[in-house]
Amino acid sequence: MKGKALRIFTAFAAGVALLAVISAVAVCIIFPNKYASEVNAAADEFGLDRTLVRSVVWAESKFDPNATSKKGAKGLMQLMPETYMACAVALYIENPESKMCDPAVSLRCGCYYLSLLIDKFDGNERAALMAYNAGEQNAKRFLAGEKMFAETARYLDSIAFAKKVYGLFA
């Protein structure tokens, strides 16, 4: 009986271990950590939490450097062309027109812009994320009590969830 119990326990333990591995692989597929050195460098350059930056990239582009939104936002951090160009000029990026989808450049510009928004909203990360998604004026209206856009509410939820997941690996 002892031998049979040991075999059952061993099979059960192996099954649990297999499920853990499958779960870990699934999390890594759904929440990739591509461009880790570029994310870390850009986040650190602008004093941003690395987990926040990964979460924004995940929510914006799912780590696809060539992602383009219906509204025309591009790159890993999905900046609108005007915003991207303003950031690129402020950061002295040479030939920025050809680098909008370059991961390192997109991350630097996106992190710079996000850091500006966090400063504008006195360190209020949630307000800065509202502005990143819906624009500064809309974020101010949301903070004043106007109903938030459903898309912006989903965006904030998505960032919060991704931060929890990416926080597990920090």
Side-chain angles (χ1 to χ4, degrees):
M1 191 68 170
K2 288 182 186 177
K4 184 175 183 179
L6 183 59
R7 284 193 302 274
I8 290 171
F9 176 77
T10 303
F12 176 76
V16 169
L18 180 60
L19 284 175
V21 169
I22 291 168
S23 296
V25 169
V27 167
C28 290
I29 290 169
I30 295 169
F31 292 92
N33 194 21
K34 295 179 183 177
Y35 311 109
S37 61
E38 293 91 340
V39 167
N40 293 344
D44 293 350
E45 180 179 359
F46 298 104
L48 297 174
D49 174 42
R50 292 172 173 186
T51 302
L52 171 64
V53 174
R54 279 180 177 73
S55 301
V56 170
V57 173
W58 179 80
E60 292 288 349
S61 69
K62 301 294 187 272
F63 287 85
D64 177 0
N66 298 308
T68 302
S69 75
K70 294 175 203 162
K71 294 184 180 181
K74 293 184 179 188
L76 288 173
M77 294 196 69
Q78 290 292 282
L79 294 175
M80 293 299 287
E82 307 80 35
T83 303
Y84 165 78
M85 287 304 291
C87 293
V89 168
L91 295 172
Y92 303 102
I93 294 171
E94 293 184 26
N95 305 315
E97 302 82 11
S98 64
K99 297 178 181 172
M100 194 166 185
C101 293
D102 176 282
V105 174
S106 176
L107 288 162
R108 280 193 76 220
C109 289
C111 286
Y112 172 70
Y113 180 56
L114 183 56
S115 72
L116 292 177
L117 291 173
I118 290 172
D119 287 346
K120 281 185 181 179
F121 286 93
D122 299 320
N124 184 335
E125 185 179 287
R126 183 174 168 83
L129 290 169
M130 287 179 206
Y132 196 95
N133 177 261
E136 290 180 50
Q137 295 309 313
N138 287 322
K140 289 176 184 176
R141 286 196 282 272
F142 303 153
L143 293 169
E146 279 191 33
K147 185 171 170 41
M148 190 182 306
F149 302 147
E151 175 191 334
T152 302
R154 283 190 303 272
Y155 179 76
L156 294 174
D157 289 345
S158 149
I159 297 280
F161 183 72
K163 278 183 73 175
K164 287 178 185 174
V165 173
Y166 282 113
L168 295 172
F169 306 108

